[in-house]
C-alpha cells in the first residue's frame, strides 16, 4: 500500500500533461476594423498610385498558448502577386504596380501559424482610383459635311471623349482652341459642336475648316499632387456648296469686229459665263435681250455670237448687245441670271500690214558697218529704209520704234501715215563701244495704231562696229608691293605687273617700262611685265632696304598709264657681330660693371640683335655677363680685392676673358674677343672727377687736355674780371666820404702759407679741382677805391694738376688714382710721402704756386691814395 501511494502523484501529472498536449489551440488574427493598419488585412483599400515598395499593412495575430507565430500570403492560381510579407513581423509590402482600370479588387489569402496549426483567411483589397488616365476621343477621325446655308447656331456634330478614371478625374469638359478666330463653338459638357451665332458658312470663300477640340478631365490626386489631364483632336468641317450664287461672265468687257469681207453666219465672238456655285454648278443658258436689231444671234448653249447679215447690210458702225446668262437647274428650271454688254464694231477691211522696203524692194534685214563712238546726233546714212502701209485712213496709221538695247539710237519719225523714210540717229555715243558690243542688233518694229488687228511687221537692223584706239592701258592695281631677299642673285624675278588694253590689234598690245630714282637696279620685260633685278645688281638691306619707282604701260598709239612699285629688300643674316678690337683692356672697379659692345651690321631684327656670353674664364666663377647689354660684373659675393686674392694667386688682378657676341639670325653668326680686365677698388671719393679719372685712366693725354682746357677758361675769366675792376676804378674822380686806407700787407714773414691749401677737396662738381685755402679775413677789404668800400677779390685761375711724368713711377700725389696694374692704398701713399718728403717735383710745384699767389696778393693789396 505504501508503494502504491508513492507513485500516485506522478501518474496524475503525466495524465494532465497528455491532456494538455492534445488540447493545443490554433492561432488567430486580430480584427481591428476597416480602417486599421494591422490585423487580418480585411477591408483594406489602397490607391492605385501607391508606389511599389510601400509598406501598406501589418498582419497581426496571436497564439492562445503564447507560442510565436509566422505570417504568410497566398494567391489563387493565375492571379498576379501584388504583395509580399515578412513572415516574422507581418509587414506587407506592395511589390507590383496597381491599376484600378485593369483590376479594382484583389483577393489575397493571409495565414498565421504557430508551427503546429495554420489559420488562413481570404480577404479582398479594394483598389481606389487616382487621376492617372487622360481623356480619349472615340470614333476618330472627325469629318463633318455641312451645307453652306446651314443656319447660324445650328448643331453640326457631337464629339465624345471618355476617361477611365472615376469621380472628378473621370468627368470631361470640352472647349475649342483659338475660339476668337473660330466660326464654331462647343458645349463644354455635351461636346456638341455648333456654328457660332451670327456666323454663316460660305463655300466660295472657304471650303474647309479645321477645328481643334480639347477634352479636359476634372482633375484629381495623383501621387499627392492634383493632376489635370487633357487631349486634343481635330474636327474637319467640309462646307458643301449650295446654289446661292448667280452666274458670272468671264473675260469682260466683250468687243467684236465685223469686217467688210465677213460672210453672213460667221461667228464674231463668244461670251462665257460660269455658275458662281463651283461645288455643284448648273448649266448656263445664253440669250440676247436687246440691241441686236435682227443682225446678230447667240448660241444658247455655247454663247457664240454670229452675224446673220452681210456687212454691207449693216446700217450701224457700232452695235451694243445685252446678253443674259441664266442658270438651269437639273429639273430644267431657269433660276438666277446675270447680264453682260457686248460691243460689236463694223469696220472696213484692214488687209495690208506695214512693210519695209530697201533700195531693191521689200526687205526685212538691213546691215551697216561703222566706227565706234560716232558723234551724238549723227544720222546713220548708210541705212536706206522706207516703210509703207497700203491701207487707207486709220488702217494706214502706224508707229515706228526700235527694239533692242535702249538709249543708243532713236528712230524718226515715230508715227507714220501711209509711207515715210526711216532715219536712225545716234543718241548715246559712249554706249557704241567696240569693246562691249562688236555687233549691235535691233528690231525695227512698225505696228498699227488705231486698228483692232494691230497689224505689224519687223525688220532686223545689224550694225557692225569697227575698233578705234579709245582705251588707255590699265594696270590691275594702282600699286604693287614686292619683297626680295638681299642675297638674291642678279636677274632674280621680283614681281609681275599686269596691264590690259581692251582695244584690238596693235592698239591692244601693251609695252612696259620703268623709271624713277629707285629703278636703277631693276629691269622690266617689255611684254610680260616681269620686273627683275639687273644682272649686276647686288642688293644690300643694310645699305638700302626700300626701293620705289613707277612702271608705265603704253600702247602703240602712245596712250599710257602708271602704277607705283614698292620693293622691300628683306634682310638676310649675312653679317657677324664685330667688336671694336679683338683684344680689349678695361678697368673694373669692384661694385661697378664694365661693358663690351659688338655691332652687327645687319638691317633688321633678329639678325642684328646681339647676345653676349663668356666663353672662357679661369676660374669660371668670378664674372657674370648680361646677355643683352654686354655688361660684365663680378659675382655678387666678391666685394673686395681680398676675396679675389683668396680665389687666385694673381696679385695684379688682371684677368683675361674670352667673350662671344652671337646674333639671333638663322643661321646664327658669332665673334669672339679677348678682354683683359684690371680689377681695382674705388679709392677716390665718389664723384664726377673720380669717374672722369677712371674713364681716362688708360688715356692720360686726354685727361691732361681736358684739365688744361678748364684752367685756360678760368684764367680768361680772371683776366676779364680784373680788367673790368681796373676801368671802373680809373673812371672814378671823387673821394668818397667814407674811405679806408688799407696798408699793404707785410712781407711773407708776417703771413704763413699753410700747406693745407694744396690738397684735394671732396668733389662737388664735374671734376676734381685743386683749391687754395687761406685765411678768409686776409682776402676781404684789403683794397678800396673812390666808388666802393670793399673790393671783391677776383677769382684765381685753377691750378693745373701735376704732370703724370713728374717724379718716379711709384710716386703719387695725395689723390689716389687707380691704374692699370691696380690702385695704391692710402697707407702706401702716406708711407711714400714720408719716405721721400713728398718728392722733389712736388716741392718745386708747391714753391712755384706759393710765389705766384704772393705776387697776386701784393698787387691786389696796393692801397689807392
Amino acid at each position: 500500500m505504501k508503494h502504491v501511494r508513492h507513485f500516485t502523484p506522478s501518474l496524475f501529472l503525466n495524465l494532465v500533461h497528455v491532456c494538455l498536449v492534445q488540447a493545443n489551440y490554433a492561432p488567430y488574427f486580430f480584427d481591428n476594423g476597416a480602417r486599421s493598419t494591422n490585423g487580418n488585412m480585411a477591408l483594406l483599400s489602397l490607391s492605385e498610385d501607391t508606389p511599389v515598395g510601400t509598406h501598406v499593412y501589418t498582419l497581426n495575430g496571436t497564439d492562445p498558448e503564447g507560442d510565436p507565430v509566422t505570417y504568410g500570403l497566398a494567391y489563387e492560381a493565375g492571379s498576379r502577386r501584388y504583395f509580399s510579407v515578412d513572415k516574422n513581423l507581418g509587414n506587407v509590402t506592395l511589390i507590383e504596380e496597381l491599376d484600378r482600370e485593369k483590376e479594382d479588387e484583389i483577393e489575397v489569402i493571409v495565414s498565421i501559424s504557430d508551427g503546429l496549426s495554420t489559420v488562413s483567411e481570404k480577404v479582398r483589397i479594394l483598389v481606389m482610383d487616382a487621376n492617372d488616365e487622360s481623356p480619349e476621343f472615340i470614333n476618330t477621325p472627325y469629318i463633318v459635311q455641312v451645307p453652306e446655308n446651314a443656319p447660324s447656331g445650328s448643331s453640326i456634330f457631337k464629339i465624345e471623349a471618355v476617361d477611365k478614371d472615376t469621380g472628378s478625374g473621370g468627368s470631361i469638359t470640352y472647349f475649342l482652341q483659338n475660339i476668337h478666330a473660330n466660326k464654331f463653338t462647343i458645349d463644354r459638357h455635351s461636346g456638341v459642336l455648333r456654328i457660332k451665332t451670327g456666323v454663316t458658312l460660305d463655300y466660295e470663300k472657304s471650303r474647309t475648316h479645321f477645328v481643334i477640340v480639347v477634352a479636359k478631365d476634372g482633375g484629381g490626386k495623383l501621387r499627392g499632387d492634383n493632376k489635370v489631364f487633357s487631349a486634343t483632336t481635330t474636327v474637319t468641317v467640309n462646307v458643301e456648296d449650295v446654289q446661292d450664287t448667280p452666274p458670272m461672265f468671264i473675260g469682260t468687257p466683250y468687243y467684236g469686229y465685223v469686217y467688210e469681207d465677213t460672210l453672213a453666219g460667221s461667228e464674231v465672238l463668244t461670251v462665257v459665263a460660269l455658275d458662281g456655285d463651283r461645288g455643284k454648278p448648273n448649266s448656263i443658258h445664253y440669250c440676247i435681250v436687246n440691241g441686236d436689231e435682227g443682225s446678230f444671234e447667240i448660241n444658247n448653249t455655247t454663247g457664240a455670237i454670229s452675224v446673220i447679215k452681210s456687212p454691207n447690210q449693216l446700217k450701224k458702225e457700232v452695235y451694243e448687245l445685252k446678253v443674259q446668262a441664266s442658270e438651269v437647274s437639273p429639273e430644267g428650271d431657269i433660276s438666277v441670271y446675270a447680264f453682260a454688254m457686248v460691243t460689236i464694231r463694223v469696220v472696213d477691211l484692214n488687209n495690208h500690214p506695214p512693210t519695209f522696203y530697201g533700195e531693191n524692194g521689200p526687205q526685212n534685214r538691213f546691215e551697216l558697218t561703222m566706227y565706234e563712238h560716232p558723234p551724238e546726233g549723227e544720222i546713220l546714212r548708210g541705212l536706206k529704209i522706207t516703210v509703207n502701209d497700203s491701207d487707207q485712213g486709220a488702217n494706214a496709221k502706224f508707229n515706228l520704234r526700235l527694239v533692242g538695247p535702249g538709249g543708243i539710237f532713236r528712230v524718226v519719225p515715230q508715227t507714220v501715215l501711209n509711207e515715210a523714210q526711216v532715219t536712225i540717229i545716234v543718241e548715246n555715243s559712249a554706249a557704241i563701244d567696240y569693246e562691249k558690243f562688236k555687233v549691235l542688233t535691233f528690231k525695227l518694229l512698225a505696228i498699227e495704231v488705231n486698228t483692232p488687228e494691230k497689224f505689224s511687221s519687223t525688220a532686223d537692223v545689224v550694225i557692225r562696229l569697227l575698233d578705234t584706239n579709245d582705251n588707255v592701258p590699265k594696270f590691275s592695281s594702282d600699286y604693287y608691293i614686292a619683297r626680295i631677299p638681299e642675297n638674291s642673285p642678279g636677274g632674280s624675278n621680283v614681281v609681275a605687273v599686269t596691264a590690259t588694253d581692251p582695244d584690238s590689234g596693235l592698239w591692244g598690245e601693251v609695252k612696259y617700262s620703268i623709271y624713277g630714282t629707285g629703278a636703277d637696279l631693276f629691269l622690266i620685260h617689255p611684254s610680260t611685265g616681269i620686273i627683275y633685278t639687273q644682272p649686276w645688281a647686288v642688293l644690300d638691306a643694310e645699305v638700302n632696304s626700300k626701293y620705289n619707282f613707277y612702271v608705265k604701260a603704253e600702247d602703240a598709239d602712245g596712250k599710257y598709264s602708271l602704277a607705283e612699285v614698292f620693293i622691300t629688300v628683306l634682310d638676310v643674316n649675312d653679317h657677324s657681330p664685330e667688336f671694336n678690337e679683338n683684344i680689349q683692356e678695361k678697368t673694373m672697379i669692384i661694385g661697378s660693371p664694365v661693358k663690351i659692345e659688338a655691332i652687327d651690321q645687319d638691317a633688321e631684327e633678329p639678325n642684328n640683335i646681339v647676345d653676349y656670353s663668356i666663353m672662357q674664364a679661369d676660374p669660371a666663377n668670378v664674372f657674370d655677363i648680361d646677355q643683352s647689354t654686354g655688361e660684365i660684373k663680378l659675382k655678387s659675393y666678391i666685394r673686395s680685392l681680398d676675396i679675389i686674392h683668396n680665389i687666385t694667386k694673381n696679385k695684379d688682378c688682371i684677368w683675361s676673358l674670352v667673350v662671344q657676341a652671337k646674333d639671333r639670325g638663322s643661321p646664327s653668326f658669332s665673334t669672339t674677343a679677348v678682354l683683359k680686365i684690371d680689377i681695382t677698388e674705388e679709392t677716390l671719393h665718389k664723384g664726377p672727377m673720380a669717374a672722369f679719372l677712371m674713364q681716362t685712366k688708360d688715356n692720360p693725354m686726354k685727361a691732361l687736355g681736358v684739365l688744361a682746357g678748364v684752367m685756360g677758361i678760368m684764367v680768361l675769366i680772371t683776366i676779364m674780371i680784373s680788367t673790368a675792376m681796373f676801368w671802373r676804378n680809373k673812371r672814378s674822380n671823387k673821394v668818397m666820404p667814407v674811405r679806408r686806407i688799407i696798408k699793404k700787407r707785410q712781407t711773407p714773414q708776417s703771413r704763413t702759407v699753410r700747406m693745407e691749401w694744396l690738397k684735394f677737396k671732396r668733389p662737388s662738381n664735374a671734376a676734381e679741382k685743386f683749391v687754395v685755402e687761406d685765411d678768409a679775413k686776409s682776402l676781404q677789404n684789403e683794397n678800396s677805391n673812390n666808388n666802393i668800400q670793399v673790393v671783391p677779390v677776383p677769382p684765381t685761375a685753377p691750378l693745373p694738376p701735376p704732370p703724370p711724368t713728374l717724379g718716379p713711377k711709384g710716386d703719387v700725389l695725395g689723390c689716389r688714382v687707380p691704374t692699370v696694374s691696380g690702385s695704391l692704398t692710402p697707407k702706401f701713399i702716406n708711407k711714400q710721402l714720408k719716405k721721400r718728403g713728398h718728392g722733389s717735383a712736388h716741392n718745386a710745384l708747391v714753391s712755384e704756386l706759393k710765389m705766384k699767389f704772393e705776387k697776386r696778393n701784393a698787387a691786389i693789396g696796393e692801397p689807392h691814395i
Side-chain angles (χ1 to χ4, degrees), residues 472-480 496-501 510-514 524 529 531 550-554 560-565:
V472 175
K474 185 176 181 181
F475 282 98
S476 60
S477 176
D478 293 333
Y479 58 89
Y480 295 88
V497 299
T498 304
T500 56
D501 190 329
V510 179
K511 180 180 179 182
Y512 300 96
S513 59
I514 58 175
I524 188 170
I531 298 176
Y550 290 93
V551 59
K552 179 180 180 182
E554 185 177 11
Y560 67 91
S561 62
L562 301 176
E564 201 165 0
V565 179

Side-chain angles (χ1 to χ4, degrees), residues 570-823:
L570 300 177
D571 184 42
V572 176
N573 192 23
D574 56 354
H575 290 85
S576 300
E578 297 293 338
F579 290 100
N580 293 335
E581 299 177 357
N582 291 334
I583 300 178
Q584 303 183 38
E585 296 183 358
K586 292 189 179 291
T587 299
M588 176 185 286
I589 298 174
I590 294 177
S592 301
V594 298
K595 184 177 181 180
I596 60 172
E597 184 176 10
I599 305 299
D600 193 311
Q601 298 297 330
D602 285 312
E604 298 177 1
E605 297 181 358
N607 297 334
N608 59 5
I609 298 179
V610 179
D611 293 330
Y612 300 92
S613 61
I614 297 175
M615 301 298 294
Q616 182 178 350
D618 186 21
N621 60 344
V622 175
F623 297 98
D624 285 328
I625 188 168
D626 189 295
Q627 178 181 350
S628 302
T629 64
E631 287 188 347
I632 300 175
K633 57 184 177 181
L634 294 170
K635 297 283 187 179
S636 59
Y637 66 88
I638 301 177
R639 299 185 178 90
S640 67
L641 287 174
D642 294 337
I643 298 176
I644 296 178
H645 293 158
N646 292 333
I647 298 175
T648 176
K649 297 178 179 180
N650 186 7
K651 299 302 181 181
D652 59 2
C653 302
I654 297 177
W655 303 76
S656 294
L657 307 178
V658 178
V659 293
Q660 181 189 63
K662 183 177 182 180
D663 62 30
R664 297 183 182 178
S666 179
S668 179
F669 293 100
S670 62
T671 304
T672 59
V674 176
L675 177 64
K676 295 183 178 181
I677 299 179
D678 181 8
I679 303 177
T680 181
E681 288 184 326
E682 185 177 12
T683 56
L684 282 176
H685 295 292
K686 293 182 179 179
M689 176 59 77
F692 172 75
L693 291 177
M694 287 306 299
Q695 291 175 1
T696 60
K697 174 179 177 298
D698 299 325
N699 192 355
M701 297 304 296
K702 179 179 179 181
L704 289 176
V706 173
L707 293 176
V710 173
M711 291 176 60
I713 293 172
M714 296 300 293
V715 170
L716 180 62
I717 293 174
T718 303
I719 294 173
M720 292 175 64
I721 295 175
S722 300
T723 303
M725 295 297 296
F726 171 76
W727 286 106
R728 182 177 182 182
N729 294 335
K730 187 176 181 179
R731 286 195 301 270
S732 176
N733 54 5
K734 293 182 180 181
V735 178
M736 301 300 294
V738 180
R739 184 182 182 197
R740 295 176 61 192
I741 299 177
I742 303 175
K743 293 183 179 182
K744 182 178 179 182
R745 286 183 176 271
Q746 298 298 322
T747 59
Q749 286 79 6
S750 61
R751 181 186 177 199
T752 61
V753 179
R754 302 174 184 174
M755 291 303 294
E756 294 149 358
W757 64 273
L758 185 61
K759 67 179 181 178
F760 278 122
K761 295 185 70 177
R762 188 178 298 274
S764 61
N765 51 14
E768 295 286 347
K769 298 180 180 178
F770 290 100
V771 294
V772 177
E773 293 184 358
D774 202 351
D775 190 355
K777 296 180 181 180
S778 67
L779 298 178
Q780 295 179 359
N781 299 329
E782 291 190 3
N783 197 5
S784 61
N785 55 24
N786 297 331
N787 298 326
I788 59 175
Q789 293 180 351
V790 180
V791 179
V793 179
T796 59
L799 298 177
T805 57
L806 294 178
K809 190 173 183 180
D811 295 341
V812 294
L813 294 177
C815 61
R816 292 167 289 200
V817 181
T819 64
V820 173
S821 61
S823 61

Side-chain angles (χ1 to χ4, degrees), residues 206-518:
S206 180
R207 300 183 182 183
T208 304
H209 300 273
F210 298 98
V211 183
I212 299 176
V213 181
V214 179
K216 182 175 69 173
D217 64 19
K221 292 291 184 178
L222 178 63
R223 296 182 180 88
D225 296 330
N226 190 46
K227 294 289 185 180
V228 177
F229 292 98
S230 63
T232 60
T233 189
T234 300
V235 180
T236 304
V237 180
N238 294 324
V239 181
E240 296 180 342
D241 191 20
V242 175
Q243 290 296 330
D244 58 352
T245 304
M248 295 177 293
F249 281 96
I250 297 174
T252 58
Y254 294 113
Y255 296 96
Y257 300 93
V258 177
Y259 300 98
E260 57 183 352
D261 59 348
T262 301
L263 299 177
S266 299
E267 184 177 316
V268 178
L269 78 160
T270 300
V271 296
V272 178
L274 298 176
D275 187 357
D277 302 306
R278 303 296 178 85
K280 297 178 181 179
N282 289 327
S283 58
I284 304 297
H285 178 271
Y286 301 95
C287 65
I288 298 175
V289 178
N290 55 45
D292 62 325
E293 298 184 3
S295 300
F296 301 92
E297 65 179 5
I298 188 169
N299 188 299
N300 301 125
T301 303
T302 63
I305 299 175
S306 303
V307 60
I308 58 177
K309 292 182 180 179
S310 61
N312 56 5
Q313 294 176 327
L314 300 177
K315 298 178 180 179
K316 297 173 63 176
E317 292 186 1
V318 177
Y319 290 86
E320 296 285 344
L321 308 182
K322 186 177 181 180
V323 178
Q324 175 181 301
S326 305
E327 291 186 23
V328 180
S329 65
E331 293 79 15
D333 299 328
I334 295 177
S335 55
V336 293
Y337 48 83
F339 298 98
M341 297 303 297
V342 178
T343 301
I344 298 178
R345 185 181 298 275
V346 180
V347 296
D348 289 335
L349 182 63
N350 181 25
N351 51 3
H352 294 93
T355 305
F356 292 99
Y357 294 88
E359 294 180 340
N360 300 320
Q363 188 173 334
N364 59 6
R365 183 180 178 87
F366 299 88
E367 296 186 7
L368 174 67
T369 301
M370 58 180 289
Y371 283 102
E372 62 178 336
H373 303 303
E376 292 184 1
E378 180 175 307
I379 298 174
L380 304 186
R381 302 186 183 279
L383 293 175
K384 305 293 183 181
I385 306 174
T386 304
V387 64
N388 175 269
D389 191 327
S390 300
D391 291 323
Q392 299 298 319
N395 292 336
K397 186 177 181 181
F398 54 91
N399 289 337
L400 286 177
R401 68 170 182 263
L402 282 174
V403 179
I408 300 178
F409 299 100
R410 62 185 176 91
V411 61
V412 292
Q414 293 184 352
T415 301
V416 179
L417 184 61
N418 291 117
E419 184 175 301
Q421 185 74 32
V422 179
T423 302
I424 298 177
I425 300 174
V426 175
E427 194 169 40
N428 185 356
S429 176
I432 306 174
D433 191 346
Y434 177 83
E435 285 71 37
K436 294 180 181 178
F437 310 102
K438 293 180 174 54
V439 178
L440 291 171
T441 303
F442 297 88
K443 288 283 188 182
L444 185 57
L445 173 63
I447 184 170
E448 294 178 348
V449 179
N450 297 322
T451 63
E453 298 82 9
K454 300 291 184 181
F455 287 144
S456 64
S457 61
T458 60
D460 292 327
V461 178
V462 179
I463 300 174
R464 304 184 186 279
L465 298 180
L466 301 176
D467 192 21
T468 61
N469 189 20
D470 60 333
N471 290 283
V472 175
K474 185 176 181 181
F475 282 98
S476 60
S477 176
D478 293 333
Y479 58 89
Y480 295 88
I481 299 174
R483 296 175 178 84
I484 183 172
E486 64 177 341
N487 60 353
S488 299
S492 297
N493 290 349
V494 180
V495 65
V497 299
T498 304
T500 56
D501 190 329
D503 292 321
S504 61
L506 294 176
W507 291 327
E509 295 180 1
V510 179
K511 180 180 179 182
Y512 300 96
S513 59
I514 58 175
Y515 66 93
T517 56

